Amino acid sequence: MGQIELRVFEFRGWEVDLARRELRSFGSVVPIGSRAFEIIETLLASDGELVTKDDLMKRVWPGLVVEDNTIQVHISAIRKVLADDRDILKTIAGRGYRLLGDWTARQENTTTQHHLHERAQSPVFPFTTNIPMATSPLVGRETAVEQLSDLVSAHRVVTLTGPGGIGKTVLASEVGRRLFPKFQGDVLFIELVSLSDPDLVPSTVAHVLNLQTHGENLSPELVARAIGDRRAMLVFDNCEHVIEAAAALTENIVRGCPNVCVLATSRELLRIDGEFAYSVLALEVPALEFEGSQDALDHSAVQLFVARTRSLRTDFEPSGEKISAMASICRQLDGIPLAIELAAARAATLGIQQVAGRLDDRFALLTGGRRTALPRHQTLRATLDWSYDLLPEAERRLLRHLGIFPAGFTIEAATAVVDEMESSVALGISSLVSKSLVVLEGSEAARRWRLLESVRVYSLEKLAALDEHGRAMRRLVEFCLLLFSPLALGSESDVMVDDLEEYRREIGNLRAALNWALSPGGDAALGVALAAAASDFWLGVSLVAEAGEWAGKALGQLGDATGTRSEMVLRCSLGYALIYTQGMSPHARDMLLGGLALAHAFQDFDYQQRASGGLWLFSARSMALKDALAFARKYEKVAGGDYLQSHATAAWMIGIPQTYMAMHGEANERLQRAIDHYPSARRRRDMMRLGADVRTSARAHNTVNLLSQGFLDAASRTADSAISEARETNQPFVLCVALAWAAGFVALSLGEFDKARTLGEELVHLAYKHGLRPFYAVGLCIRGSLAARSDNPEAGIDPLRSGLAEMQQTTYLLFYPFFSTELAAALGAIGRFDESLEEIGKALRFAVETEYRWFVPEILRVQAGLLVLRGSGDPALIESLLRQSMAQASAQQAVYWELSAAVSLAERLRVVQKHDEALEVLAPVYGRLSEGFFAPRVKLAKKLLDELT
């Protein structure tokens, strides 16, 4: 590639002045970085021919190894300034670049410029820098340093923005240090923070650059003229309080000094031509679920905490609870380096747990920064005071009010709380974003903003100090009430659970509004109305326990709302929540009965259905099966509204108690009708209304009918499909139902122990996480049953006893006889026969008294087996129990339980050499099976038949 004379090249109004190192558009200088200019110069020299990436690297970065991404950064910068003419810079994929166009050259009087350019390349004096050596390693910023190093060579002005304490100064200093050895010019740091008068900016810069200027009042133009062709990188630090002066000087330097680039730090942009905005991000913090994991140490925020703590305490070692506490601290401080350094300094003296527990008082706690730091960086409060004091009063007021939103806000929410015109609020938010006090987040379709947590706490303090907090919170409650009111319209509402994302984003704000309204200094009437309006929402987002918590608090402060629709809604909400979280308590029943009475008084059919459904659920789960069936029949009689929905729901409600009362044929038919005819469009809405998913629940309960009737393949498939449907709902209480039936009744009964273990453990963890005590009890019992059936039966006794005790405490008794029988079998397996027979006797009495007939045949069979194990049982009694088991199972059309008893009886008969009678007992029952030949009991039956014949 040949040499090119120092001429001016022109095309379409563009001028490339090689002598002055300028790119001009119709005579005006266009800011562009030195490396980017060298790329243009190299492409011009090729006269439109292809220049490969390798050639560009050798010419523009001689002796350095650079990546393709670095070239791409500079190419993008060139295209940005070319604007509408960006197409003249053409990329040849995988090869290189061409500069298109008929560029014409003209010779100018370049003697002076050429002389100055040469002087810039070969200065008399060595290049200098005033950036001091780093006193400690820069943690978590290596990628940012590399990116900025590329950007500074591609753009004439790069501005680092971000909130106070984010590390802009440290990052800019490190970039300057890294670039100085290869920059071939001065790298100078100009600190503007101490300037109280913007007019002092030009003289401050002139002093640092040691410019030979005269006169008292230096202008930006004079400074730029004095710099001339000197090659330098200037770091303007802390521009925000003198932003206009800093912008004016930078603009003049860019226009008049072709060999100078500027790296600025500011909480807002300079807003000048050619400026590249670089937002400095917070350090990486671990997600909540990884808080206690060793992986937390891989996150840069935690690494900084560890490094700073070790600098003060050399014996510090992160482990165990310390890691969890550090991760929590870093997350609460939003990964802001200054705040983390202050917290680490306190942790070195107070201990990590003390710091973690006192972050609510972070402004008193996070003080004592380095003595050499700027005063505003020595405490967290001072850092925020600096930013707040720079704001005009209108923006201060806006910032104070935005502090009441813990979950972020929309323009509409902010307007409602600030109580001003939306246009002025939007402009204010935009300004606060540009000053790094408000953070934009969310998608284009759902724009939201938020304050960093420390800024929010600071804003709330200011709000309270000016006695504005109460008024702002009242407006937040009113906004939430307006937002959530559509969800309070019950079955008339068009709002579906599928559309809850808008509401889900407001959870933190809703909690804040309810907390304030239902507190001593709040507005109870507004709080009661909001709690009622949001009651369905909590169920819709799987926060069942929280639904009960807010309903309970609101009911305690009803006041003038006593006897209103709000009380009706809150009673039903609390009743359902108590059933799922605490079990079938008298308080839950009272709540639902009161809600039903009010629903009748208001002739509100929707809430008559809800309350009746809750009372039915209460009765079914507490084993008052006759009452449950009566409630279901009553529901069926008054079913109205959506015909398919109402009658499918009634079929589901009737089919469930029938299942456990061993009316398997009719129960199967009703539950299948519910599955087939329940309208999918109503499914998610009714999860909020009825506290259950009709389709999942119907499938889960119907596994008992299918299993009992001997349709074992169908039972297993139905259990699997119930789980699949439940997962689609994303509702923990729905999934718990599917898991409990699949792992408990089906997998254990069919000997699918691996499956039972997997599903059972998922049930335990899910129920524990969401506070669903009844299902946690079932999970414990599944765990105990699996242990009891292993080589160490004794290991299953404690979890079985714990689970059964929890079932009794929560009055969740649908599984009680099943697992009581499991406990009896485990006790018998280790020779504790008296206890085992007592336990099986209790299970049988309970099943008979509650008409839990479906499992009675199996209880009788296990009772006979325990007598056999004891070795001193009456043979006639044992045989009688087994024949009773078979007879009851036969009457129930429960082929599987009849087969189970027949196998046990046939084995007894074979022992006493009654082979023909054993065959006569077993063969007819086995012959009625049409599927399920994989099950261990069915295989045993087949093996026994083969031996008998």
Side-chain angles (χ1 to χ4, degrees), residues 93-138:
R95 299 177 62 196
Y97 304 92
R98 293 173 59 201
L99 186 64
L100 307 181
D102 296 325
W103 293 83
T104 59
R106 72 170 189 269
Q107 187 71 45
E108 289 196 346
N109 181 12
T110 61
T111 306
T112 303
Q113 288 85 351
H114 181 70
H115 171 70
L116 291 173
H117 178 65
E118 289 299 320
R119 181 163 56 83
Q121 298 292 328
S122 306
V124 176
F125 301 103
F127 298 125
T128 63
T129 183
N130 63 349
I131 301 178
M133 295 292 291
T135 57
S136 60
L138 186 60

Side-chain angles (χ1 to χ4, degrees), residues 112-272:
T112 303
Q113 288 85 351
H114 181 70
H115 171 70
L116 291 173
H117 178 65
E118 289 299 320
R119 181 163 56 83
Q121 298 292 328
S122 306
V124 176
F125 301 103
F127 298 125
T128 63
T129 183
N130 63 349
I131 301 178
M133 295 292 291
T135 57
S136 60
L138 186 60
V139 178
R141 296 298 194 195
E142 189 59 39
T143 299
V145 170
E146 291 176 1
Q147 291 173 342
L148 285 165
S149 298
D150 288 340
L151 291 168
V152 166
S153 65
H155 302 270
R156 296 284 305 282
V157 182
V158 177
T159 303
L160 278 62
T161 63
I166 198 72
K168 301 182 293 293
T169 299
V170 174
L171 183 55
S173 299
E174 183 62 24
V175 172
R177 274 191 291 271
R178 296 276 185 96
L179 288 179
F180 178 64
K182 53 190 174 185
F183 183 70
Q184 292 297 300
D186 299 329
V187 177
L188 299 170
F189 188 91
I190 297 103
E191 176 59 77
L192 304 178
V193 68
S194 61
L195 302 184
S196 57
D197 183 354
D199 291 339
L200 296 176
V201 170
S203 59
T204 300
V205 173
H207 174 71
V208 174
L209 270 66
N210 196 25
L211 299 179
Q212 301 302 310
T213 57
H214 303 283
E216 295 181 0
N217 296 317
L218 279 178
S219 67
E221 293 83 358
L222 283 173
V223 171
R225 200 177 306 153
I227 294 173
D229 287 314
R230 179 174 172 181
R231 183 168 175 78
M233 171 181 164
L234 305 181
V235 181
F236 290 168
D237 191 43
N238 294 294
C239 298
E240 57 268 7
H241 65 304
V242 289
I243 194 71
E244 299 295 339
L249 178 59
T250 303
E251 195 162 38
N252 275 275
I253 289 174
V254 169
R255 191 181 302 122
C257 310
N259 298 313
V260 176
C261 61
V262 174
L263 180 62
T265 75
S266 176
R267 298 187 191 184
E268 61 178 305
L269 291 172
L270 301 177
R271 296 198 184 97
I272 62 174

Side-chain angles (χ1 to χ4, degrees), residues 244-543:
E244 299 295 339
L249 178 59
T250 303
E251 195 162 38
N252 275 275
I253 289 174
V254 169
R255 191 181 302 122
C257 310
N259 298 313
V260 176
C261 61
V262 174
L263 180 62
T265 75
S266 176
R267 298 187 191 184
E268 61 178 305
L269 291 172
L270 301 177
R271 296 198 184 97
I272 62 174
D273 286 342
E275 179 182 27
F276 185 94
Y278 186 91
S279 180
V280 181
L281 302 178
L283 296 177
E284 295 176 342
V285 298
L288 182 61
E289 56 267 30
F290 301 119
E291 193 173 275
S293 165
Q294 285 285 333
D295 292 343
L297 295 173
D298 295 334
H299 293 76
S300 54
V302 179
Q303 291 170 352
L304 177 63
F305 192 103
V306 171
R308 294 299 175 262
T309 306
R310 277 181 175 160
S311 70
L312 297 168
R313 280 190 55 188
T314 55
D315 61 341
F316 175 74
E317 285 298 331
S319 60
E321 292 182 358
K322 290 180 183 178
I323 295 176
S324 179
M326 285 190 298
S328 175
I329 291 168
C330 292
R331 192 174 55 256
Q332 290 183 68
L333 296 177
D334 295 298
I336 302 296
L338 173 63
I340 291 170
E341 292 203 10
L342 293 171
R346 281 286 175 253
T349 55
L350 297 177
I352 292 176
Q353 297 296 344
Q354 285 289 329
V355 172
R358 293 179 58 200
L359 281 183
D360 287 345
D361 192 20
R362 64 187 65 193
F363 296 120
L365 179 69
L366 301 184
T367 61
R370 300 178 181 181
R371 296 184 190 279
T372 55
L374 294 168
R376 64 188 177 90
H377 280 169
Q378 291 187 0
T379 73
L380 185 59
R381 185 186 297 280
T383 298
L384 294 170
D385 281 341
W386 169 269
S387 295
Y388 183 79
D389 291 342
L390 291 175
L391 299 177
E393 179 51 38
E395 290 182 14
R396 291 182 190 178
R397 181 176 183 273
L398 176 59
L399 185 67
R400 292 195 298 270
H401 283 73
L402 296 180
I404 68 170
F405 293 106
F409 51 89
T410 60
I411 292 287
E412 294 77 14
T415 300
V417 166
V418 178
D419 198 25
E420 291 183 2
M421 294 290 291
E422 183 173 305
S423 57
S424 63
V425 172
L427 286 173
I429 290 173
S430 176
S431 180
L432 291 174
V433 169
S434 71
K435 294 170 182 175
S436 304
L437 288 167
V438 172
V439 178
L440 172 64
E441 58 183 21
S443 63
E444 282 291 331
R447 290 228 159 207
R448 292 179 71 80
W449 292 261
R450 70 179 179 93
L451 305 185
L452 295 177
E453 187 59 20
S454 294
V455 177
R456 194 180 77 81
V457 173
Y458 178 88
S459 300
L460 283 175
E461 279 192 7
K462 292 291 186 182
L463 192 71
L466 293 172
D467 199 26
E468 298 172 318
H469 185 262
R471 290 190 297 276
M473 289 304 302
R474 180 171 283 104
R475 288 194 286 266
L476 175 61
V477 177
E478 290 168 348
F479 171 77
C480 288
L481 184 57
L482 184 66
L483 179 65
F484 284 87
S485 287
L487 289 175
L489 300 177
S491 60
E492 303 299 321
S493 174
D494 290 326
V495 180
M496 301 292 291
V497 181
D498 285 336
D499 301 325
L500 282 179
E501 195 54 42
E502 175 188 358
Y503 300 92
R504 193 187 297 271
R505 289 190 287 267
E506 301 293 341
I507 284 181
N509 298 331
L510 175 61
R511 287 172 178 148
L514 286 168
N515 261 322
W516 177 84
L518 297 174
S519 68
D523 187 324
L526 271 177
V528 167
L530 179 56
S535 61
D536 278 351
F537 166 74
W538 299 114
L539 286 177
V541 295
S542 308
L543 296 172

